[in-house]
Amino acid sequence: MFHFDTHSPIAIHRLPDDFLNGNPNECCIHFYEAGETTFKNQVQLSQHLFCLLLQGQKTVHDATSGQQINAQEFMLMPRGSVLMTEKTTESGAFKSILLFFSDAFLIDFSSRHGFSKKGTEPTGRNTLVWKKDAFVTNYIQSLELLKSNTMRETLQQLKLEELLCYLFQTHPEAMQHFLINALQEHHYRSIKQVVNANIDNHLTVEELAFLCNQSVSTFKRHFAEAFHTSPKKYFTAHRMRKAQQLLLLHHRPSDIYAELGYETLSSFSAEFKKYTGNSPKQFQAELDPKPTVFEPIA
């Protein structure tokens, strides 16, 4: 049984990694209990999370809002950083069942069951809360019946898919928004990982799109959404920042233009002047002027 360390208020709890010794599966079910109230624990969720609260009260604050649930409700939280408060009952009990699932699990699930992002626009990151109905109450009882046995990964997957299928049927609009937000974030992370890994490799937009398994037009659109600028402007700004750093270290323009991805010195100098207002040599001269020579007093 895992519980938060209330004596380390600045500790960051990484879930579900902390439950599984840093080796989370694509999905997992965890029975969680605590004996004391905790306030605003810093929690990083590396996977999406269903919290089926059994006893106590939970409050979650993400980047945009706060949500609270009691034992008559349950919550779906997207992956990300949250502040989490857990209040025990008067008898000092807090119990919940936590169901974690990864982006890969969600993408595979949506593909196999025909759920897509078509016709749905992404919304702000949000936590979803619902009242428990008869189905969810019986679903929780089915999980508790399995608690005494070690659930194999396949069974955990089936139980999680059961809940997802039910919610897509009973709350299609909310779940569709959750799906598009998760898939959009997945595309952003994929693009950022590819871009950061190849930031100095001077790949073309076509080559980067290929590595992301996207068409050029789709890559450009997702790139703009992820970085809030175009690929050309982003990579030019990076090259210019790197050029300025190298020039400040007294590297000659003729020695660095190829390293920065330019075919000729003149093309590098022209773009540097367009970007900064000075040629590379002028930039160096202004930041490193020649020392003043004083004539000796007669």
Side-chain angles (χ1 to χ4, degrees), residues 158-178:
L158 290 172
K159 294 303 294 182
L160 181 53
E161 288 199 18
E162 179 184 351
L163 182 57
L164 284 170
C165 283
Y166 178 72
L167 291 175
F168 268 102
Q169 178 177 314
T170 55
H171 302 280
E173 185 175 351
M175 291 303 295
Q176 193 75 359
H177 282 302
F178 181 87

Side-chain angles (χ1 to χ4, degrees), residues 53-65:
L53 191 57
L54 307 180
Q55 294 183 38
Q57 188 179 82
K58 179 189 285 287
T59 303
V60 173
H61 289 274
D62 59 27
T64 60
S65 63

